[in-house]
Amino acid sequence: DTAVSQTPKYLVTQMGNDKSIKCEQNLGHDTMYWYKQDSKKFLKIMFSYNNKELIINETVPNRFSPKSPDKAHLNLHINSLELGDSAVYFCASSLDRGTFSGNTIYFGEGSWLTVV
Amino acid sequence: DAKTTQPNSMESNEEEPVHLPCNHSTISGTDYIHWYRQLPSQGPEYVIHGLTSNVNNRMASLAIAEDRKSSTLILHRATLRDAAVYYCILRWNYGGSQGNLIFGKGTKLSVKP
């Protein structure tokens, strides 16, 4: 059983297109995230949702719009794709944001987006 | 978030112990020390975390300096599968809330057969 699953794993698309990446977690977690890993391998948080509510929105172009239909899903929609959007996008989840336990974050396997 | 400093890369021989260092001289009292690793073409994976005391789990051990300004991740017997980028991350935890994971460059560990 995959704890955090995201689809598609690979996506090649043309500039200007709109695309979505879907993410689902079966861990019963309340908090979900999107991270972006660029060509230099830096991992940066983009968004965080807690119980379907947006709690973190880092400096990300508004062409990126996360949507959480329920707390097990956090999808990422990207409008008007640009060459610089090419990256690996990781979905992740954690139990919640408010515990002292250390709160492990579980990552999906990534979605490789290439914009041509 | 406080910053960490790690060597860019390290090499190890298979079945030998590996000590991965991390400096965090500006750590605050509410910062936990987390280690994640990222195997090639996979998402990051939790390894271990601690606050003040040394910690052990099935994957690794974490040795934390008494002044908490540095820590060392110890893999007791490296395997080829341990070849990955290892990230040392400080994550604040205060008043029922926690900070985000802020990833640095990490240490790329190579394991030779």
Side-chain angles (χ1 to χ4, degrees), chain A residues 21-59:
Chain A
I21 306 172
K22 296 185 177 181
C23 179
E24 176 182 4
Q25 54 94 3
N26 63 4
L27 298 167
H29 287 169
D30 285 344
T31 305
M32 295 186 72
Y33 312 81
W34 276 107
Y35 280 79
K36 178 181 178 181
Q37 188 166 38
D38 60 23
S39 58
K40 295 182 178 179
K41 304 297 183 185
F42 285 112
L43 261 165
K44 292 183 180 178
I45 190 167
M46 300 173 69
F47 302 102
S48 174
Y49 269 70
N50 190 59
N51 271 320
K52 304 193 297 176
E53 184 177 335
L54 180 66
I55 51 174
I56 295 172
N57 183 351
E58 293 297 319
T59 308

Side-chain angles (χ1 to χ4, degrees), chain A residues 6 8-10 21 34-39 41-44 46 76 84-91 108-114, chain B residues 38 41-44:
Chain A
Q6 31 182 132
K9 187 173 176 73
Y10 299 102
I21 306 172
W34 276 107
Y35 280 79
K36 178 181 178 181
Q37 188 166 38
D38 60 23
S39 58
K41 304 297 183 185
F42 285 112
L43 261 165
K44 292 183 180 178
M46 300 173 69
L76 183 65
D85 297 332
S86 296
V88 186
Y89 293 86
F90 289 99
C91 179
E109 293 194 345
S111 294
W112 270 253
L113 172 65
T114 302
Chain B
Q38 186 173 19
S41 301
Q42 293 191 27

Side-chain angles (χ1 to χ4, degrees), chain B residues 95-109:
Chain B
S97 295
Q98 295 188 52
N100 298 319
L101 289 180
I102 308 292
F103 288 84
K105 295 181 181 179
T107 296
K108 184 174 183 179
L109 175 66

